[in-house]
Amino acid sequence: MRDLYIYYQVGEDKAIVLHGLVTAMQARLAAAHGVATQLKRRPGARDGAQTWMEIYAATAPGFDAVLAAAVEQAGLPALTTGARHTEIFMDILPCA
């Protein structure tokens, strides 16, 4: 299983609207795909923009495509500045 960490910028003037859209999208994804979700942001802002991070724990193969479709359907790209950056982490399995 893989954990996805996606970070991006959002203008402070769009943060309230984006918050509602992201939390609703994450709730739908959690219900449909059984992933644990979190939404975080860095403290403060730089040049009027906040940095946000979406976290999706224990995702199954193919979840990346499901998430990309959900992001488009929710209209998130219109509210963010620049690209969404994805980092993938996996559990470290002990040697047998």
Side-chain angles (χ1 to χ4, degrees), residues 64-74:
D64 305 47
V66 170
L67 177 58
V71 165
E72 289 297 324
Q73 183 179 16

Side-chain angles (χ1 to χ4, degrees), residues 8-19 41 45-52 76 79-82:
Y8 50 89
Q9 300 284 314
V10 59
E12 290 183 295
D13 59 330
K14 297 177 181 174
I16 292 173
V17 173
L18 184 65
H19 182 265
R41 76 174 191 88
R46 179 188 286 170
D47 299 326
Q50 301 172 357
T51 301
W52 286 24
L76 303 189
L79 297 172
T80 58
T81 303

Side-chain angles (χ1 to χ4, degrees), residues 33-59:
H33 299 279
V35 297
T37 67
Q38 292 182 36
L39 179 62
K40 299 180 178 281
R41 76 174 191 88
R42 284 192 177 132
R46 179 188 286 170
D47 299 326
Q50 301 172 357
T51 301
W52 286 24
M53 179 175 285
E54 297 169 26
I55 301 171
Y56 301 90
T59 64

Side-chain angles (χ1 to χ4, degrees), residues 1-3 58 89-94:
M1 293 286 200
R2 305 170 332 146
D3 299 336
F89 287 81
M90 298 172 59
D91 292 335
I92 298 174
L93 300 176

